[in-house]
């Protein structure tokens, strides 16, 4: 039977991120997405102007109706969370649907480039930590890894050579692997390899495991790449692929989309040209 993933995320009309990315990637990979929108936006929040319809008060209706239907999910994927109440609604959802035969992937979207997003209060950070430790897999970037581990971002970046940087990130990621949380994939790490070439990488940490999967740095910073990566990982796990192979496949997919977008001079807010590469993800 087709695997089903509950995707708790916002929906943006422009920006090629969040639910737009998740629905297309999951579907291409042969997995059925079941969207639960946390907000509906005319465009993602990087645009200078946008309309946002908050769906927090609708989330419980989805949970209740899906429970009436006897819905079962092979996995649950949570992305951007805009408020403390939304996380509390997610906890209620997990109480109902996060069973032993399903996995939870949390993308703890909290900030980038060392800067937390404006709405992240101390309470929201505390609740995000609680959510992360209920997960089986999390996909933080370096900023979010530092927030989850109460580590100074500047200190991590000043550790010196690339080997030292990767070792520091691995140690922080490994420190989160406890309890139910078994897999931490740190995304978007920029470093220099032994030849002096600039690269972007995703570091996979699990008990007894540390692997870095990298590709050439092509420049540019785009909306939605983290959502694309987490969606690839979620679908791959649902269909039984090994995590390292999914990380490798997702990295190549995003590398091609990034290269295409840089070449076409796509603006950051519009997200990457990933649609033409979805066939790479098909079973």
């Amino acid at each position: 039977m087709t695997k089903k993933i509950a995707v708790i995320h916002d929906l943006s009309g422009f920006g090629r991120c969040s639910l737009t990315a998740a629905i297309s990637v999951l579907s291409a990979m042969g997995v059925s997405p079941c969207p639960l929108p946390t907000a509906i936006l005319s465009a993602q929040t990087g645009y200078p102007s946008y309309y946002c319809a908050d769906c927090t008060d609708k989330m419980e209706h989805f949970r209740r109706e899906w429970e009436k239907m006897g819905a079962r999910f092979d996995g649950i994927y949570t992305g951007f969370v805009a408020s403390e109440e939304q996380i509390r609604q997610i906890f209620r959802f997990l109480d109902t649907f996060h069973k032993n035969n399903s996995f939870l992937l949390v993308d703890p979207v909290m900030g980038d480039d060392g800067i937390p997003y404006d709405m992240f209060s101390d309470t929201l950070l505390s609740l995000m930590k609680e959510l992360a430790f209920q997960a089986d897999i999390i996909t933080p970037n370096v900023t979010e890894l530092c927030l989850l581990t109460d580590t100074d971002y500047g200190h991590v970046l000043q550790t010196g050579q690339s080997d030292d940087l990767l070792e520091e990130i691995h140690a922080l990621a490994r420190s989160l692997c406890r309890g139910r949380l078994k897999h931490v994939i740190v995304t978007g790490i920029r470093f220099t390899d032994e030849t002096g070439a600039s690269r972007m990488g995703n570091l996979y940490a699990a008990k007894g495991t540390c692997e870095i999967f990298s590709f050439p740095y092509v420049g540019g910073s785009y909306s939605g790449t983290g959502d694309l990566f987490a969606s690839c990982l979620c679908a791959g796990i649902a269909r039984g692929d090994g995590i390292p192979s999914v990380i490798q496949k997702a990295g190549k997919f995003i590398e091609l989309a990034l290269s295409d977008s840089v070449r076409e001079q796509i603006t950051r807010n519009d997200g990457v040209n990933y649609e033409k590469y979805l066939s790479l993800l098909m079973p």
Side-chain angles (χ1 to χ4, degrees):
M1 294 180 65
T2 301
K3 303 293 185 179
K4 289 185 174 64
I5 302 293
V7 188
I8 305 176
H9 225 313
D10 64 275
L11 176 64
S12 295
F14 280 80
R16 289 190 283 195
C17 61
S18 51
L19 278 176
T20 301
I23 291 170
S24 53
V25 166
L26 287 166
S27 299
M29 294 182 70
V31 175
S32 175
C34 302
L36 195 169
T38 58
I40 300 173
L41 297 91
S42 60
Q44 58 95 351
T45 57
Y47 284 89
S49 177
Y50 58 87
Y51 167 75
C52 176
D54 190 323
C55 297
T56 304
D57 61 347
K58 309 296 190 297
M59 294 172 68
E60 170 60 14
H61 294 289
F62 274 68
R63 187 203 66 81
R64 189 182 302 134
E65 293 300 321
W66 286 357
E67 184 179 30
K68 286 180 189 175
M69 292 168 54
R72 296 289 183 270
F73 302 104
D74 300 283
I76 300 168
Y77 161 33
T78 72
F80 178 71
V81 177
S83 67
E84 298 164 17
E85 180 57 28
Q86 283 192 356
I87 292 193
R88 293 189 178 98
Q89 290 286 349
I90 289 171
F91 287 145
R92 294 194 65 185
F93 187 90
L94 296 177
D95 286 342
T96 304
F97 296 109
H98 189 202
K99 306 302 183 183
N100 289 332
N101 58 349
S102 68
F103 66 87
L104 170 62
L105 187 151
V106 170
D107 186 9
V109 182
M110 295 185 287
D112 206 358
D113 295 325
I115 303 171
Y117 296 137
D118 290 341
M119 80 294 180
F120 260 87
S121 63
D122 290 341
T123 302
L124 191 53
L125 174 58
S126 177
L127 289 169
M128 183 59 80
K129 288 179 180 178
E130 185 180 344
L131 178 60
F133 280 111
Q134 288 193 26
D136 302 277
I137 312 103
I138 61 172
T139 57
N141 61 29
V142 178
T143 298
E144 293 150 358
L145 176 70
C146 290
L147 288 169
L148 290 172
T149 57
D150 300 312
T151 302
D152 180 70
Y153 177 84
H155 169 74
V156 172
L157 292 194
Q158 293 172 8
T159 51
Q161 300 298 317
S162 291
D163 286 348
D164 296 330
L165 171 65
L166 294 175
E167 179 53 41
E168 177 74 12
I169 290 172
H170 174 230
L172 293 173
R174 190 176 60 236
S175 73
L176 295 173
C177 294
R178 60 183 188 270
R180 180 158 188 151
L181 180 54
K182 298 293 194 302
H183 308 278
V184 178
I185 298 98
V186 185
T187 63
I189 306 168
R190 187 176 176 184
F191 66 99
T192 304
D193 67 14
E194 62 276 5
T195 70
S198 185
R199 299 187 69 81
M200 289 293 285
N202 303 304
L203 186 144
Y204 173 40
K207 186 176 181 180
T209 298
C210 175
E211 294 185 69
I212 182 77
F213 302 84
S214 68
F215 51 90
Y217 176 71
V218 296
S221 174
Y222 289 90
S223 162
T225 53
D227 300 332
L228 290 169
F229 179 86
S231 300
C232 289
L233 186 62
C234 192
I237 292 169
R239 70 186 194 185
D241 299 345
I243 289 178
S245 69
V246 181
I247 295 173
Q248 186 71 38
K249 184 184 291 288
K252 184 62 178 177
F253 166 65
I254 294 170
E255 176 195 355
L256 291 169
L258 277 168
S259 298
D260 188 285
S261 303
V262 170
R263 185 170 57 251
E264 296 293 329
Q265 298 183 324
I266 303 299
T267 61
R268 180 194 187 282
N269 286 334
D270 287 348
V272 293
N273 292 341
Y274 71 85
E275 294 87 353
K276 67 181 72 173
Y277 301 108
L278 284 169
S279 60
L280 299 177
L281 303 175
M282 292 180 178

